[in-house]
């Protein structure tokens, strides 16, 4: 139970895959953590009145609307949670910040660097008035990832030399899978690069404390034409629990895929480390396989999302006879985020990362502290995505990552 009567009335735009994940977190966070404010699920927004009404009832929202502008302008909304496709992130977030609302925006922050710069600048301006903003890179909130960062920050790995990251899925391997919005550049901004590549860019920079300064990249679109969908919305649950695109089938017409199916790049980090990144939605058999390995002068650490309660840790400072990768089960009460959950050894899952995200955002708002990752942090990820695209277009030539403007630092 919260120790204060402070209430944050949340309005969320979007109700599909991310909307459901965020809703579960908003429902749960105050029931798990003792926080300085209580979240109230006040209003949910979607374009279709029937579907959003059903979603409001199913997901636990007090009321619904079909107009996000109505949601943003209302005096009884304190927080705006943006869970829409990337083409609407900037418009909604900018309007919400201008209206004095705290904003949580899903990743990637925007579809273009220009939009992301505008959002970061608006967030910096709003911050001066006590308005907080955060980008939803939820994997930062996996306890094992936060523990990984702690090991690096404490010097347990020594000087970081290698970063190795891959995020692999296979949900569009079938060439008959419909042309959903995630496969259209005007809606999604990019394909595997922005959808899942953004996660490993943010995660590795967060864990190492180093930023990517330059890249050499290749991208590929393996299936260039797909059947037009008969009413689907990407990797999103429908009201009956099926996945859009599969449930509705595909029409006879086809359209062009305008995003990448896979992106690979090498990179340099500003602390001297070398890095490799791979993001693909064509890795047959891989459903949601995110893996990161960090090698340092004193040791190594490995995280695998499919074993998200664990880390593999190699301590090179031990006597040779005792060296080897050891398994750390990240479920102890003194591990990040775990004090409010279950006894040691009782594992948690994917959805808990969103609960931890809401916990951190509520605390930042209630205490007037900066939330991370900020829109400025997310802009920096957007600049890396842009550099990858430009490098691939120039035949994998080495491409520097443009610096974020210091004027928008949050």
């Amino acid at each position: 139970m919260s120790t204060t009567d402070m209430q944050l009335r949340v309005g969320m735009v979007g109700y599909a895959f991310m909307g459901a994940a965020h809703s579960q977190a908003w429902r749960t966070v105050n029931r798990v953590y003792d926080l300085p404010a209580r979240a109230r699920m006040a209003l949910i927004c979607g374009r279709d009145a029937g579907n959003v009404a059903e979603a409001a009832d199913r997901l636990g929202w007090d009321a619904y609307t079909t107009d996000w502008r109505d949601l943003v302008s209302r005096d009884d909304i304190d927080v705006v949670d943006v869970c829409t496709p990337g083409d609407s992130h900037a418009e909604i977030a900018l309007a919400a910040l201008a209206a004095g609302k705290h904003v949580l925006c899903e990743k990637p922050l925007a579809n273009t660097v220009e939009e992301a710069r505008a959002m970061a600048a608006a967030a910096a301006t709003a911050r001066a008035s006590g308005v907080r903003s955060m980008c939803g890179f939820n994997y930062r909130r996996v306890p094992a990832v936060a523990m990984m960062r702690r090991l690096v920050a404490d010097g347990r790995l020594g000087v970081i030399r290698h970063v190795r990251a891959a995020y692999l899925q296979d949900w569009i391997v079938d060439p008959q899978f419909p042309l959903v919005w995630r496969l259209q550049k005007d809606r999604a901004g990019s394909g595997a690069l922005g959808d899942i590549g953004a996660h490993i860019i943010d995660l590795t920079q967060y864990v190492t404390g180093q930023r990517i300064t330059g890249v050499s990249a290749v991208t590929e679109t393996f299936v260039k034409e797909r059947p037009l969908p008969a009413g689907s919305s990407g990797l999103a649950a429908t009201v009956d629990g099926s996945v859009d695109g599969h449930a509705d089938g595909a029409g006879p017409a086809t359209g062009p895929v305008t995003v990448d199916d896979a992106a690979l790049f090498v990179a340099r980090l500003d602390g001297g480390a070398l890095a490799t990144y791979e993001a693909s939605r064509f890795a047959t058999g891989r459903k949601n396989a995110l893996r990161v390995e960090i090698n340092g002068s004193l040791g190594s650490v490995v995280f695998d999302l499919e074993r998200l309660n664990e880390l593999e840790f190699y301590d090179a400072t031990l006597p040779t006879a005792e060296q080897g990768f050891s398994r750390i089960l990240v479920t102890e009460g003194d591990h990040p985020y775990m004090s409010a959950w279950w006894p040691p050894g009782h594992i948690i899952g994917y959805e808990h990362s969103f609960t931890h995200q809401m916990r951190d955002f509520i605390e930042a708002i209630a205490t007037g502290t900066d939330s991370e990752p900020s829109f400025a942090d997310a802009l920096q990820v957007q600049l890396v995505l842009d550099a990858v695209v430009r490098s691939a277009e120039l035949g994998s030539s080495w491409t520097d990552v443009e610096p974020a403007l210091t004027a928008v630092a949050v």
Side-chain angles (χ1 to χ4, degrees):
M1 182 68 69
S2 175
T3 58
T4 180
D5 293 330
M6 180 181 180
Q7 187 178 81
L8 294 173
R9 298 160 296 183
V10 181
M12 188 175 75
V13 188
Y15 56 86
F17 174 31
M18 277 299 101
H22 283 222
S23 295
Q24 193 276 343
W26 288 120
R27 286 196 310 270
T28 304
V29 64
N30 286 111
R31 292 172 171 83
V32 177
Y33 290 100
D34 183 15
L35 297 172
R38 174 166 291 276
R40 174 184 166 190
M41 297 169 64
L43 187 65
I44 187 172
C45 178
R47 290 175 295 181
D48 183 279
N51 286 342
V52 74
E54 186 279 333
D57 180 66
R58 173 169 48 89
L59 298 175
W61 293 85
D62 293 345
Y64 67 89
T65 180
T66 58
D67 184 356
W68 66 262
R69 293 174 180 82
D70 169 60
L71 181 150
V72 165
S73 65
R74 286 173 55 154
D75 292 336
D76 59 350
I77 296 297
D78 305 302
V79 178
V80 174
D81 186 356
V82 183
C83 294
T84 60
D87 62 328
S88 58
H89 283 187
E91 186 179 15
I92 297 171
L94 289 172
L97 290 169
K101 315 298 185 185
H102 307 289
V103 178
L104 172 62
C105 184
E106 257 303 320
K107 47 56 59 186
L109 186 63
N111 277 4
T112 67
V113 167
E114 291 73 21
E115 289 177 339
R117 285 195 188 278
M119 294 168 75
T125 299
R127 175 179 174 271
S129 301
V131 175
R132 304 294 159 184
S133 54
M134 187 169 77
C135 190
F137 284 104
N138 65 294
Y139 291 133
R140 286 188 177 207
R141 268 74 188 192
V142 174
V145 171
M147 182 63 189
M148 194 180 195
R149 173 182 167 93
R150 182 187 296 177
L151 289 170
V152 173
D154 288 348
R156 299 293 300 278
L157 271 64
V159 178
I160 303 303
R161 292 170 174 161
H162 288 290
V163 174
R164 205 166 291 108
Y167 198 165
L168 309 176
Q169 299 176 343
D170 73 350
W171 60 277
I172 54 173
V173 166
D174 182 357
Q176 293 305 305
F177 188 91
L179 187 68
V180 295
W181 70 264
R182 290 181 186 269
L183 306 180
Q184 302 169 46
K185 185 175 182 178
D186 61 339
R187 300 291 310 282
S190 64
L193 176 62
D195 184 17
I196 55 180
H199 271 302
I200 52 177
I201 291 167
D202 178 74
L203 190 155
T204 54
Q205 293 187 137
Y206 166 71
V207 167
T208 63
Q210 298 186 28
R211 292 198 164 187
I212 296 170
T213 60
V215 301
S216 173
V218 293
T219 61
E220 183 59 65
T221 303
F222 298 113
V223 176
K224 295 176 172 56
E225 291 274 336
R226 287 187 177 273
L228 297 179
S232 60
S233 61
L235 191 65
T238 59
V239 292
D240 65 358
S242 58
V243 175
D244 281 350
H246 291 299
D248 296 330
T254 64
V257 176
T258 52
V259 299
D260 57 281
D261 289 330
L264 293 80
F265 62 97
V266 296
R268 286 190 179 274
L269 279 66
D270 60 8
L274 300 179
T276 62
Y277 294 84
E278 179 182 6
S280 177
R281 301 190 293 208
F282 267 74
T284 306
R286 299 297 183 185
K287 304 305 175 184
N288 200 38
L290 187 162
R291 191 177 190 276
V292 172
E293 179 170 336
I294 312 293
N295 305 131
S297 59
L298 300 179
S300 295
V301 64
V302 183
F303 170 73
D304 185 339
L305 182 62
E306 294 180 347
R307 297 165 57 190
L308 64 74
N309 291 272
E310 303 175 21
L311 287 177
E312 293 181 70
F313 178 55
Y314 186 96
D315 186 350
T317 67
L318 293 173
T320 303
E322 300 173 15
Q323 290 178 11
F325 276 97
S326 61
R327 171 177 173 264
I328 301 175
L329 186 62
V330 188
T331 59
E332 298 291 331
D334 56 352
H335 282 140
Y337 299 106
M338 291 303 300
S339 61
W341 292 109
W342 318 119
H346 293 71
I347 61 176
I348 63 172
Y350 169 78
E351 71 276 12
H352 295 77
S353 64
F354 293 96
T355 303
H356 302 157
Q357 178 173 270
M358 303 327 181
R359 187 206 79 161
D360 289 351
F361 196 41
I362 289 172
E363 285 192 335
I365 293 170
T367 61
T369 55
D370 292 336
S371 48
E372 295 182 350
S374 67
F375 278 17
D377 295 327
L379 165 61
Q380 195 276 333
V381 173
Q382 200 83 39
L383 289 165
V384 176
L385 298 177
D386 179 69
V388 170
V389 170
R390 289 186 288 118
S391 173
E393 290 175 344
L394 295 171
S396 306
S397 65
W398 188 260
T399 304
D400 291 334
V401 175
E402 293 182 15
L405 295 178
T406 56
V408 302
V410 178

